[in-house]
Amino acid sequence: MSNAMYDKIWHQTQEALSALLDKESQKMIEPQRNQVFIFQTLATFYIKYVQIFRNLENVYDQIIHPQKRILIRKVLDGVMGRVLELKNEMVELELTEFHYFDDILQDLKLTPQQLDIPIPKYFLKEKLEVIKGREKILAQILADSGIDTSEVKYSVKSIPLDEAVKLIQIAERARQGRLRALFMKQIFLQEYKAKQSKILSKKVMDPWAAALRIQKAWRGFHQCKNTEKLREKEMIFLGMTPPPLFNEVSATVIQAEKVDHLRNEVQLKHEEDYREALVTIKNDLKLMEGLDIKENLQDQIRHWFIECRNLTGTFPDYPDIEEGGSAIIFSNKTTQQEEDKEWKMSPSVFLSAMKEGNNTYKDIWMNKDESWNFSQDYDPELIKEEKRKELESEIRVQVDELMRQELKNLKLAVDREREHPEKARKKKEKGKKGKKKEKKAKKDKDLTADRTIESLYKELVEEGLLIQALKVNLSDYIGEYSYLGTTLRQVSIEPMPSLLDVRQLITLYGIWPLGSAAVHEKAPLVKSLLLVGPSGVGKKMLVHAICTETGANLFNLSSSNIAGKYPGKNGLQMMLHAVFKVARQLQPSVVWIEDTEKTFYKRVPSEEKMNEPKRLKKHLPKILKLLKPEDRILIVGTTQRPFDAELQSFCKVYQKIILVPRPDYASRYVLWKQIIECNGGVLTSALNVSCLAKVTDGFTQGHIVQAVKAVLTDQRVRRQTYKPLTTVEFIMAITSMNPVYKEEEESFKNWYAKTPLGEKRALAITGGSTEKAKNSGKKKE
């Protein structure tokens, strides 16, 4: 796709955004009481913003003009933040983390797949070198400490000489036996052919009858092949089987990947040229226009002196540096205009940024003639405009000093006025008070003031508290949408969330805020996340995916991992201080607590008392309070036995609780297909994937992966050409495993119904109003 095409997509997306911003500002003014209508409005905005985000993210990744990319990035961050705000409003309105938009998607003529929220590629692109450098350091520390997990060490057992000789003899005799059997088979075939030729020579068949027999055999064979081909075409047409060469990468795709790679290189080059131009153009402006700017400013300020003198009879007081100097004299009109605009704006934090970006697009790029800029390099005129303002503010500081002195001289010469020393004293005293307050605020103790971040990082790696995240993308978390969500809710049945609903929440609450500092600081803040579900549903995989997609460090504070490390109260305090100091300095960071119910045990089992599993219970709420919007740190807990924890303290620590279900039929169908293909399996008509998905109701992703790996050994993969895979092989492999029964899934649903959000939702469903539900939740909290 050419750059002009991406420009066209950008212009279309900006138009859609402009129309959406106008609609949103209208809807915010209209008061509404109908809850269904409000949700429909919020959901429509949410879906439309997601579509705009998908387009903008694609455009930002591919456009090579550096100044356009700066504006797109600003709007992109605003759209991301607005999506999170709308999601938060929908959660508060419906009192559930999961929403279903079947009817709205139908009205907008969109498929559920278009609701899938992509992860911006710039999260990793912009800090690729930092991540690679950190990975090298981590691997080196692990190798030096002898806990290198990247290489699998195989142990070789030595056997006695007699046994070795026997093994070689058995193998050699088997080889000779196979050769002898092959030789005997050849002799038998030769004898059989000789006998057959003798019999045929005696019976001379009529040539016409022979030809007829050959025709019959050929026509039957030919018709069978044609019928098979027709059947195959029909199945391809119906979408039941993939077309030939479906999984092979086409030459067009390979070429497109090459073009994308080349475009990324051009992006980097243009950005470097742009950064250099920012410096060179500013220096040129300083030389060419610096003196003129200085003289113009001095003339303006002198004119202001004379005007004030003529109007009031005295010279004015010169504005202080803190107030903005002489810039404040000429900016009163613009500030008033801004105040008028702010009164009409909606309470969203991100709408103003989007509107500003949209206005900049309309003013500069909407109708800009770029026929001269075929290579899409930087626009020097725009840099000049920007740098003139910057240069003017720098020169203004110097001019203010000169003009302040000039004003003093004028006052002394003309008015014979003297400065009041009391004002100066008061200002000094104010300054001193401010300093005292600052000193009071900075009293947080740094327990490791004498230590470098590198040394703390190394210590945490050696202690096993900072671990290497597995290379897993969120797209590897396979699943399907729940198409019955809206229908079930209409009859007051709360559906289990689908796997892709879970994936979306991980993107919204985990990956987006950790990946973008601008979004994390302003969007509704999520400091902690709890993943609840049975064993094998991919909770651990999701934690590693968050780290992979954002380049985050992974700290493991599971009770089993910290047992015996940093003993005592002081040791625990030191451990937490070191972990969160490194996490802040090298953000983004994820703090993972596996089997987190152990930290909040109702009763500690006798066999675990020695490990002190509840060490972090009192400290976690304090840590959460200390985390600020600028700290891109996320605490993630995973549990398969939430029933063992004290519910109240559990829910106080984890802001967002995500129920991760066992896969439904649609998800199992997709899982079987993709996992078999990923492990080298070939899907044929002999393998009924639909039957496999139906039979394995209740089995998790972990069970499916285990069964596939058990069947698809290296030997079995090689034998596929003459012995295709069958359904029975996989069913036999999975029969020895225990599924997640419906009763167990219901127990998770019942537990979730006792959480603050679950209770509110249950009350709303059983007839209580949403307001009552919200109030009851607040009282309990």
Side-chain angles (χ1 to χ4, degrees), residues 138-149 151 153 461-462:
L138 182 58
Q140 188 62 48
I141 294 166
L142 289 169
D144 293 344
S145 57
I147 49 172
D148 190 4
T149 54
E151 293 178 8
K153 296 175 182 178
V461 173
E462 287 170 349

Side-chain angles (χ1 to χ4, degrees), residues 301-318:
I301 294 162
R302 284 193 189 106
H303 187 66
W304 173 63
F305 290 166
I306 294 159
E307 271 189 353
C308 286
R309 169 77 178 173
N310 292 338
L311 289 168
T312 61
T314 57
F315 286 112
D317 293 328
Y318 208 93

